[in-house]
């Protein structure tokens, strides 16, 4: 009988799930490997969200502390391991961005890093954000209600679809679309007023 090599057919998702299971048992080597496999992707997402490498790295560290502490709560029957890991980092980033003083803070010298990671065509919201000074934008953004703010952040900065945002917040997709549409309309009116343009 020919010798088989099971490791060649291991699903990456299964590998992460196994590493999480071993992390739950306080296996530090498994935790280190989990970090090596997932941290580059998580850091890229966090950089897009918070626009500061220092903040992104701090949130990444906090996220992995949480993963270490709560690995035992991961259930493979409910989600993929990477989805579970990403959600922890994303929630921490959203908590940071929900604070009006931190929301959409002025970009730092990490612009080159951001451009290297976020190479998609700029979204309509990103054009909107670039059109005004950061202080006015923060004030307008802070004026949104929490549902509008969270939905816009999740859709435009986390890159989630309306359906994914709906699942994230436990709301119907139609409601999420309405939050985003009304939130963008409010942002435009507020920004037009800040720029002295008729709304």
């Amino acid at each position: 009988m020919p010798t088989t090599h099971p490791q060649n057919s291991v699903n990456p998702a299964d590998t992460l799930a196994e590493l999480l299971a071993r992390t739950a048992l306080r296996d530090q080597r498994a935790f280190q490997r989990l970090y090596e496999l997932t941290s580059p992707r998580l850091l890229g997402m966090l950089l897009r969200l918070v626009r500061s490498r220092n903040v992104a790295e701090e949130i990444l560290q906090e996220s992995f502390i949480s993963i270490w502490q709560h690995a035992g709560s991961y259930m493979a029957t409910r989600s993929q391991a990477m989805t579970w890991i990403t959600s922890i980092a994303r929630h921490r980033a959203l908590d940071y961005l929900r604070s009006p003083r931190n929301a959409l803070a002025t970009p730092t010298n990490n612009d080159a890093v951001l451009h290297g990671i976020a190479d998609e065509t700029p979204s309509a919201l990103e054009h909107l954000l670039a059109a005004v000074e950061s202080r006015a934008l923060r004030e307008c953004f802070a004026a949104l209600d929490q549902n509008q703010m969270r939905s816009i952040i999740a859709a435009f900065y986390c890159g989630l679809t309306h359906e994914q945002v709906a699942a994230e917040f436990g709301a119907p997709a139609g409601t999420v679309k309405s939050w985003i549409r009304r939130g963008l309309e409010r942002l435009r009116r507020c920004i037009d007023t800040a720029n002295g343009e008729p709304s």
Side-chain angles (χ1 to χ4, degrees):
M1 180 178 294
T3 302
T4 58
H5 299 280
Q7 65 272 24
N8 292 336
S9 60
V10 172
N11 186 313
D14 294 336
T15 300
L16 295 182
E18 178 184 349
L19 291 174
L20 275 174
R22 288 164 54 193
T23 296
L25 298 175
R26 296 299 181 258
D27 183 330
Q28 294 186 8
R29 287 188 177 182
F31 183 61
Q32 178 65 29
R33 182 58 178 157
L34 187 71
Y35 178 88
E36 292 170 354
L37 290 175
T38 61
S39 61
R41 177 175 173 182
L42 294 181
L43 182 60
M45 177 195 72
L46 292 171
L47 280 168
R48 289 191 62 199
L49 284 169
V50 301
R51 294 176 166 242
S52 164
R53 190 173 188 89
N54 289 338
V55 174
E57 289 177 346
E58 181 179 344
I59 294 174
L60 183 68
Q61 180 179 358
E62 293 174 354
S63 299
F64 274 97
I65 291 173
S66 182
I67 290 167
W68 172 260
Q69 294 173 338
H70 302 290
S73 66
Y74 168 67
M75 297 181 64
T77 56
R78 289 190 175 182
S79 66
Q80 294 289 330
M82 192 64 200
T83 300
W84 185 82
I85 291 169
T86 302
S87 70
I88 290 176
R90 185 169 65 239
H91 285 152
R92 286 189 171 273
L94 290 176
D95 286 341
Y96 172 83
L97 289 171
R98 284 184 195 121
S99 173
R101 62 189 175 87
N102 292 327
L104 302 176
T106 303
T108 66
N109 290 333
N110 298 297
D111 286 345
V113 176
L114 291 172
H115 289 309
I117 292 171
D119 59 356
E120 301 96 336
T121 301
S123 67
L125 180 62
E126 287 169 335
H127 284 303
L128 181 66
L129 303 188
V132 294
E133 293 182 345
S134 60
R135 180 178 179 182
L137 176 59
R138 286 198 300 271
E139 292 175 353
C140 291
F141 203 78
L144 300 178
D145 67 40
Q146 286 296 306
N147 288 330
Q148 293 170 345
M149 181 187 297
R150 292 169 64 204
S151 298
I152 290 173
I153 290 172
F156 289 92
Y157 281 88
C158 292
L160 302 184
T161 65
H162 289 154
E163 290 72 19
Q164 289 171 327
V165 177
E168 187 79 20
F169 299 141
T175 300
V176 167
K177 291 177 182 178
S178 177
W179 288 341
I180 293 173
R181 184 181 66 254
R182 292 177 182 177
L184 290 176
E185 289 173 353
R186 287 185 63 182
L187 272 178
R188 290 190 181 99
R189 288 198 299 270
C190 179
I191 289 169
D192 286 345
T193 300
N195 286 346
E197 300 175 3
S199 58

